[in-house]
Amino acid sequence: MRVAKSLLLGTAAGLIAVGGAQAADLPVKAKAVEYVKVCSLYGAGFYYIPGSDTCVKLGGYLRAEVALNAGGNYSAQYNGVFAAKNRLTNYYSMRAREDLNIDTRTATEYGVVRTYFDAVFTWTTGNYVGTGSATGATQYSGTLGVNAAGNALVGSSGGAVNGTDGGISGGSLGVYYAFIQFAGFTMGKSVSQFDAPWINYPGNNFDQLVGGSGSTNGVAQFTYTFDFGQGVTAAISAQDQTQVYQTAIWNTAGMSTSGVLGGAYGSNNLGGSTSPDIVGMVRVDQAWGLFQASVAAHDNHVAYYGATEATGHPDDKWGWAVQLALSIKNIPTGAGDVINLSGVYTEGASRYNFQELAATSYSMFGSSNAAYQSLGFAGVSDAVFGPGGNLELTKTYGFRGAFTHNWNPYWNTALYGAWAAVNYSGTAKSLICGSAAFATLTGTCNPDFNIGQVGVITRWTPVKGLTFSADFTYSHLDQKYSGVITAPTLSTVAKPAAAYELKDQDTYSLLLRAQRNW
């Protein structure tokens, strides 16, 4: 008993000693935990960053979609293998995308300081193009790199042959927006001040709607916005033209028959950037809707007539664009229904009509009873010039619009359409049609054209933030050529050297999309 008692007392003493030592190591008072607090200053979803007076909001979406008779994004079969209508053409394209945006705001004595960042991670189905090989070898373009919109950039590094490189390496990272707002200034990559608030989506998912400006992927700019109160604002902006707002300045000395049939009337001789585009905007935003007027000035700066500076160059010419946009709300057809409309005119600034995702070259094949096949081709430029000549500015005009009707809180349908026209000057037509590229044409030569688009989309939102949609688009290319032209071998689209009948072309596409916003 005496031994057992000694053991128990010794053990208890040891535990007390250890416990005392551990207690001595503890701080006298624990630090208060900093909890994330709701920031109600800027609307729902903002929280204070712990330890600061800056509020942050995270957002984004995840999207999965399949497009039938369409290109890498939701683009119609206007050119390339997509419009070849042969065994190289994709009957469907698939895409998955995650978008992440970060919005921070801090109240200061100068007003709110805001930063905004929006990036996308995308994987998109590629396509096969001919390599010109006698064996008909093809090359997969899906891993050749993509731009911020997810469109394949054929010819960039990292390409894979015959689709051997897929999976993760076929994806891309793009940056939509990255800008700072402070004391009325916007500095960085954001939507152009020229754009209507709906950019190039008045009611559609279709990416290539013509008839107005649309910088969906953002454009670098330095902008000051005036707020006059009562919903009236105005802005003056200097924005980078090289990223979004250039089409082509064609040197007709570089014309070839194969190039023409692909919608390019010469070599593209754009020079270095010398001036940003100057943009002005006035907007009235009221309960009944919105009205906006926008103008832009665009410097056309070409390189040289030939390979070196010794060959000389045309003088610069400034182009311009004007756009009017109107949104009508609270219409009697139903709660939340809206009509969005815009019209645009450009001269030497065609991207303000054919927005950044719209096609600027058309080469569409179809059936024919008079030749091997039919072909409709056309091209958009800012200007055209020939050897020793001046720039001939290209004129365009167009409109777009949509009516959206809400059947109930879960379903809505939109009808939309667009139309745009491109007109070349008499001198430009003479340079184009007088080229040896049209030597085999028996018929009418006229590079002017119109493009029309009409569509319908229905959306179902069974729960908040989750939307399923089906979008159908029909397009008609009204080109002004007629007759028959003999073409050389067009290897990238697997078309043989043959006679092609020149006539208008039609195409349609369908997009099925599931999107979860968060």
Side-chain angles (χ1 to χ4, degrees):
M1 280 294 290
R2 191 173 297 173
V3 173
K5 185 176 180 180
S6 298
L7 286 173
L8 287 172
L9 290 173
T11 302
L15 289 172
I16 292 170
V18 171
Q22 288 178 340
D25 291 337
L26 289 174
V28 176
K29 187 177 181 181
K31 275 189 174 182
V33 177
E34 290 192 18
Y35 294 98
V36 176
K37 297 184 295 183
V38 173
C39 174
S40 59
L41 298 175
Y42 311 110
F46 281 91
Y47 297 86
Y48 282 102
I49 297 174
S52 77
D53 58 356
T54 296
C55 300
V56 64
K57 180 180 181 179
L58 302 179
Y61 62 80
L62 195 144
R63 175 187 297 169
E65 61 191 26
V66 57
L68 308 178
N69 283 349
N73 55 352
Y74 190 20
S75 54
Q77 295 179 323
Y78 292 145
N79 50 44
V81 295
F82 302 115
K85 294 185 178 178
N86 59 19
R87 294 184 68 83
L88 296 183
T89 302
N90 282 3
Y91 289 91
Y92 70 90
S93 297
M94 302 185 76
R95 163 177 285 186
R97 166 173 287 177
E98 168 67 26
D99 177 277
L100 171 66
N101 57 71
I102 305 170
D103 190 347
T104 71
R105 305 189 192 189
T106 306
T108 74
E109 59 184 305
Y110 298 98
V112 176
V113 176
R114 182 192 185 197
T115 66
Y116 189 83
F117 175 77
D118 190 352
V120 289
F121 305 85
T122 306
W123 187 93
T124 308
T125 301
N127 58 277
Y128 287 90
V129 296
T131 62
S133 167
T135 62
T138 59
Q139 181 171 341
Y140 185 67
S141 68
T143 54
L144 298 186
V146 292
N147 61 17
N151 301 317
L153 302 176
V154 177
S156 62
S157 62
V161 176
N162 296 326
T164 56
D165 184 15
I168 294 175
S169 63
S172 67
L173 170 64
V175 176
Y176 279 152
Y177 313 124
F179 61 84
I180 299 170
Q181 289 182 320
F182 172 69
F185 290 95
T186 299
M187 301 158 282
K189 193 168 183 277
S190 182
V191 172
S192 171
Q193 302 303 311
F194 191 93
D195 293 356
W198 50 86
I199 318 177
N200 46 310
Y201 302 96
N204 51 294
N205 284 343
F206 181 67
D207 285 323
Q208 292 193 304
L209 212 61
V210 298
S213 175
S215 54
T216 303
N217 296 329
V219 58
Q221 61 187 271
F222 192 93
T223 297
Y224 185 77
T225 301
F226 304 86
D227 190 343
F228 301 104
Q230 306 299 315
V232 180
T233 57
I236 183 73
S237 179
Q239 66 182 31
D240 178 31
Q241 64 163 259
T242 60
Q243 178 199 351
V244 173
Y245 286 99
Q246 293 176 333
T247 57
I249 300 180
W250 281 320
N251 182 351
T252 57
M255 286 180 63
S256 65
T257 303
S258 59
V260 163
L261 299 184
Y265 301 131
S267 55
N268 189 356
N269 281 35
L270 285 165
S273 57
T274 57
S275 173
D277 284 5
I278 308 301
V279 175
M281 176 275 290
V282 176
R283 180 183 299 173
V284 179
D285 197 343
Q286 303 291 331
W288 56 263
L290 173 146
F291 173 78
Q292 178 176 309
S294 307
V295 295
H298 175 84
D299 179 38
N300 290 287
H301 180 73
V302 73
Y304 299 102
Y305 291 118
T308 70
E309 60 190 31
T311 61
H313 60 83
D315 292 335
D316 286 16
K317 275 192 177 181
W318 280 82
W320 58 280
V322 59
Q323 177 175 273
L324 301 178
L326 177 67
S327 182
I328 305 173
K329 303 176 182 177
N330 301 321
I331 54 181
T333 55
D337 289 8
V338 62
I339 297 174
N340 294 325
L341 300 168
S342 65
V344 66
Y345 177 86
T346 76
E347 186 169 335
S350 299
R351 268 300 185 196
Y352 289 93
N353 188 348
F354 291 78
Q355 45 88 9
E356 68 165 314
L357 300 182
T360 55
S361 63
Y362 299 81
S363 182
M364 303 167 64
F365 291 86
S367 60
S368 173
N369 295 322
Y372 175 75
Q373 284 184 333
S374 65
L375 172 62
F377 65 91
V380 183
S381 67
D382 289 330
V384 177
F385 71 97
N390 297 319
L391 294 182
E392 296 292 325
L393 300 183
T394 304
K395 298 178 181 180
T396 81
Y397 52 96
F399 62 86
R400 66 164 71 118
F403 164 60
T404 301
H405 173 63
N406 293 278
W407 302 101
N408 55 48
Y410 308 103
W411 290 88
N412 71 57
T413 297
L415 298 174
Y416 63 89
W419 181 87
V422 174
N423 292 332
Y424 290 90
S425 71
T427 300
K429 289 177 182 176
S430 297
L431 289 169
I432 293 169
C433 294
S435 168
F438 284 100
T440 62
L441 172 64
T442 56
T444 303
C445 179
N446 184 351
D448 293 349
F449 75 96
N450 308 323
I451 176 74
Q453 302 156 330
V454 63
V456 57
I457 180 173
T458 293
R459 302 178 179 92
W460 174 47
T461 306
V463 296
K464 183 179 179 181
L466 177 63
T467 300
F468 300 91
S469 60
D471 189 355
F472 177 84
T473 308
Y474 166 79
S475 303
H476 175 72
L477 176 65
D478 176 18
Q479 50 95 60
K480 306 303 181 183
Y481 297 103
S482 65
V484 175
I485 191 170
T486 301
T489 300
L490 306 174
S491 59
T492 58
V493 292
K495 295 295 181 180
Y500 292 85
E501 180 187 5
L502 304 183
K503 68 176 187 179
D504 299 349
Q505 300 291 331
D506 304 290
T507 187
Y508 63 89
S509 56
L510 173 67
L511 179 76
L512 304 176
R513 172 181 291 173
Q515 180 167 315
R516 171 72 164 96
N517 296 327
W518 56 276

